[in-house]
Amino acid sequence: MNKFFFLISLFFIFNINAQNIMKSNTKKIVIAHRGASGYLPEHTMESKAMAYAMKPDYIEQDIVLSKDNVPIIIHDIYLDDVTNVLEVYPKRVRNDDRFYVIDFTYNELLQLNVTERFDQKSNKMVFPKRFPAGKSHFRLHSLQDEIEMIQGLNKSTGNSIGIYPEIKDPEFHRKNGKDISKIVIDILSNYGYKTKSDNCILQCFDAKELKRMRMELKSNLFLTQLIEFPKDEKLLLDYATYADAIGPWIKQLIKRFDENGQIIYSDLVNDAHRLGLQVHAYTFRADQLENIPTFEKLLEIGFIGTGIDGAFTDHPDKVVEFLKK
């Protein structure tokens, strides 16, 4: 009986993902990770505008809800890693000494300055060679703000750059009485992002929630299942029943180095492609080389060595230039 259902699952998977198998051999895509975050503070409109000028295929938006249900573009559910919230709202801290986006209205959030990411424990910048901390003025913004800017630039430039939103921590939002996935999917639909051909890819780490987006919320968007743990054959098979791509951590692409220092690649990309899943790996950073000698070599490992279909990068200009070669 189990073997019967396994065969049925395989038949279903290969039917719904047949087109993606062909896509895995076509154009490689560049995703501007939090914008041009290697050059300007992450997820600011300035960073997104700079990324747009670099002509990636997609620009990423991490999404957390405000107290009044406005989707805010920020990487975490916390504010204190990238803003001056401690200075502006010192009494709004929770018992765990953290400041949460969900505790502030949209208008309150607009009063904050955004800076380069810093580590709470050491109070040092995570990437010390990037944009100087505390300089200039940057603000948080909503998903709608960013969509309208990208769509406006597409109209004024004639380009066709897509969006790549991520639903952040849906379980946390659910515990706070908010259905972030439904809110985001409805907004995307209102802006014309409804199907796989609408230049929008929706991503999430929470497999249960991404599956819900497909099955319960009936989203027809291209879906990417983000993963951060070693490959699990059963999970990969399940992902292929509802997702169109996986998003693995860059270190999952390499199994090990042999005694001569040669790279032994993992089977993840090949296995994903066999199931019709594209592979969009994260995160390619020119200032964080993961023990690889150069950024170009890191890109060679990803695109040529393993055959990934796309890359999230803090330095989209460098990846666009690499792929042109």
Side-chain angles (χ1 to χ4, degrees), residues 28-88:
K28 307 295 185 181
I29 68 168
V30 180
I31 306 119
H33 182 246
R34 310 180 203 176
S37 55
Y39 306 103
L40 284 166
E42 64 183 57
H43 281 318
T44 57
M45 289 288 265
E46 292 83 353
S47 176
K48 301 307 175 72
M50 185 175 189
Y52 189 97
M54 294 173 174
K55 296 185 177 180
D57 299 283
Y58 295 87
I59 298 175
E60 184 194 41
Q61 303 79 31
D62 290 316
I63 303 169
V64 178
L65 291 182
S66 67
K67 187 176 183 178
D68 48 350
N69 292 330
V70 177
I72 304 299
I73 305 303
I74 187 171
H75 183 261
D76 303 302
I77 59 175
Y78 311 109
L79 288 162
D80 33 321
D81 294 328
V82 292
T83 76
N84 65 337
V85 63
L86 178 60
E87 298 173 14
V88 182

Side-chain angles (χ1 to χ4, degrees), residues 20-267:
N20 288 342
I21 295 175
M22 298 299 293
K23 290 179 183 177
S24 67
N25 295 315
T26 59
K27 183 180 183 296
K28 307 295 185 181
I29 68 168
V30 180
I31 306 119
H33 182 246
R34 310 180 203 176
S37 55
Y39 306 103
L40 284 166
E42 64 183 57
H43 281 318
T44 57
M45 289 288 265
E46 292 83 353
S47 176
K48 301 307 175 72
M50 185 175 189
Y52 189 97
M54 294 173 174
K55 296 185 177 180
D57 299 283
Y58 295 87
I59 298 175
E60 184 194 41
Q61 303 79 31
D62 290 316
I63 303 169
V64 178
L65 291 182
S66 67
K67 187 176 183 178
D68 48 350
N69 292 330
V70 177
I72 304 299
I73 305 303
I74 187 171
H75 183 261
D76 303 302
I77 59 175
Y78 311 109
L79 288 162
D80 33 321
D81 294 328
V82 292
T83 76
N84 65 337
V85 63
L86 178 60
E87 298 173 14
V88 182
Y89 301 109
K91 296 181 180 181
R92 305 283 289 277
V93 65
R94 287 196 183 187
N95 292 334
D96 59 359
D97 293 327
R98 301 305 301 266
F99 294 83
Y100 288 75
V101 177
I102 206 169
D103 292 337
F104 298 82
T105 67
Y106 175 57
N107 286 333
E108 287 175 330
L109 292 168
L110 293 181
Q111 308 310 310
L112 301 176
N113 283 337
V114 177
T115 187
E116 275 288 333
R117 176 170 293 274
F118 56 91
D119 181 80
Q120 288 291 318
K121 294 181 179 179
S122 67
N123 202 32
K124 293 182 179 179
M125 307 312 295
V126 175
F127 298 100
K129 294 184 179 180
R130 294 190 179 181
F131 197 88
K135 300 295 183 181
S136 194
H137 296 282
F138 303 97
R139 295 284 186 262
L140 295 170
H141 62 275
S142 70
L143 173 63
Q144 296 95 316
D145 291 332
E146 187 164 332
I147 289 175
E148 289 177 6
M149 183 185 77
I150 291 172
Q151 290 188 345
L153 284 169
N154 281 341
K155 181 177 181 180
S156 63
T157 64
N159 295 324
S160 182
I161 291 176
I163 62 173
Y164 208 128
E166 179 184 345
I167 303 292
K168 303 298 290 191
D169 209 335
E171 182 62 25
F172 168 82
H173 285 87
R174 189 174 295 110
K175 289 178 180 178
N176 283 270
K178 297 180 183 297
D179 188 346
I180 184 173
S181 298
K182 186 177 188 311
I183 290 172
V184 170
I185 287 173
D186 286 347
I187 289 172
L188 293 175
S189 179
N190 290 339
Y191 280 96
Y193 300 113
K194 300 178 181 179
T195 72
K196 295 179 186 182
S197 62
D198 289 327
N199 220 10
C200 171
I201 298 177
L202 188 56
Q203 58 177 327
C204 189
F205 274 104
D206 188 325
K208 182 179 178 181
E209 188 68 11
L210 195 71
K211 193 171 188 175
R212 173 179 173 254
M213 293 179 210
R214 179 72 83 206
M215 305 302 184
E216 181 184 328
L217 299 180
K218 306 298 182 184
S219 174
N220 290 317
L221 291 170
F222 189 108
L223 301 182
T224 295
Q225 178 64 65
L226 297 170
I227 56 177
E228 54 185 331
F229 302 109
K231 183 188 69 174
D232 183 310
E233 294 288 356
K234 292 181 180 178
L235 287 178
L236 204 60
L237 196 63
D238 185 48
Y239 297 157
T241 64
Y242 61 88
D244 304 284
I246 58 169
W249 185 26
I250 188 173
K251 287 188 176 181
Q252 292 175 276
L253 304 178
I254 298 174
K255 183 181 293 183
R256 60 183 173 85
F257 291 85
D258 67 16
E259 61 276 7
N260 298 314
Q262 298 299 308
I263 297 171
I264 307 298
Y265 297 110
S266 76
D267 297 323

